[in-house]
Amino acid sequence: MLVREVMSTVVLTIGPAHTLRQAAALMSARRVGAAVVYDPDAGGIGILTERDVLVSVGRGQDPDTERAHGHTTTDVVFAAPTWTVEEAAAAMAHGGFRHLIVLDGGEPAGIVSVRDIIRRWAPARSAHNAPVVTA
C-alpha cells in the first residue's frame, strides 16, 4: 500500500504570522492535527502540530500573541506519494513524530498521519483479533 492511498489530500496551510489560537481554531474546525506552515521568507515549508500548540500553552505562553513561526518545525521529513505505508511508518517511528507532509513535485500534496495508517491497517485485521476499546 502506498502513501498516496492513505494520505489526506485536504491540507490546511497557514502563514507564519497566524497566532496559535487561530491555528488551533482552524485545525479544530477541519479536524486535523497539523497545519502546513508556508513561509517563503524563512525557507519554505514547515509543520505546526497540535502538540506544538499544547507545549506552548503548557509553558504559560499566550496563544493570542504567540505566532506560528515561533513553534513551527522546519527540519521536516517529507514523504513522497510513492513511499510505502511501511516506509512512512518507519520514518515516523524513527523521528518520533505523527505527521508527514507529502510532497509531489516540490509542492504539498497531502499529509499522512499515524491515524491514517492505522485506519488502513486496522480493517486488514480480523475482527476477533482486534481488541475492543470503550470509553
Side-chain angles (χ1 to χ4, degrees):
M1 185 175 307
L2 300 178
V3 164
R4 75 166 54 103
E5 298 172 65
V6 301
M7 71 182 191
S8 172
T9 56
V10 178
V11 179
L12 173 60
T13 303
I14 64 172
H18 276 80
T19 67
L20 292 187
R21 183 175 307 281
Q22 290 169 326
L26 290 167
M27 286 190 280
S28 178
R30 298 241 182 126
R31 299 180 55 110
V32 298
V36 172
V37 180
Y38 181 66
D39 187 355
D41 297 330
I45 300 170
I47 190 166
L48 179 75
T49 67
E50 58 197 356
R51 183 180 301 168
D52 298 324
V53 175
L54 184 64
V55 166
S56 175
V57 171
R59 289 181 179 155
Q61 297 172 334
D62 184 351
D64 290 315
T65 60
E66 290 295 313
R67 303 291 173 179
H69 69 83
H71 302 275
T72 298
T73 300
T74 55
D75 60 342
V76 179
V77 174
F78 296 101
T82 55
W83 278 19
T84 65
V85 171
E86 290 80 7
E87 288 173 306
M92 289 179 196
H94 178 73
F97 44 81
R98 299 177 297 170
H99 300 87
L100 286 170
I101 299 172
V102 181
L103 293 184
D104 193 7
E107 295 295 320
I111 291 185
V112 63
S113 70
V114 170
R115 183 179 298 160
D116 295 327
I117 293 170
I118 290 171
R119 283 182 181 151
R120 286 302 186 122
W121 280 349
R125 297 187 59 182
S126 65
H128 61 75
N129 287 337
V132 175
V133 178
T134 58

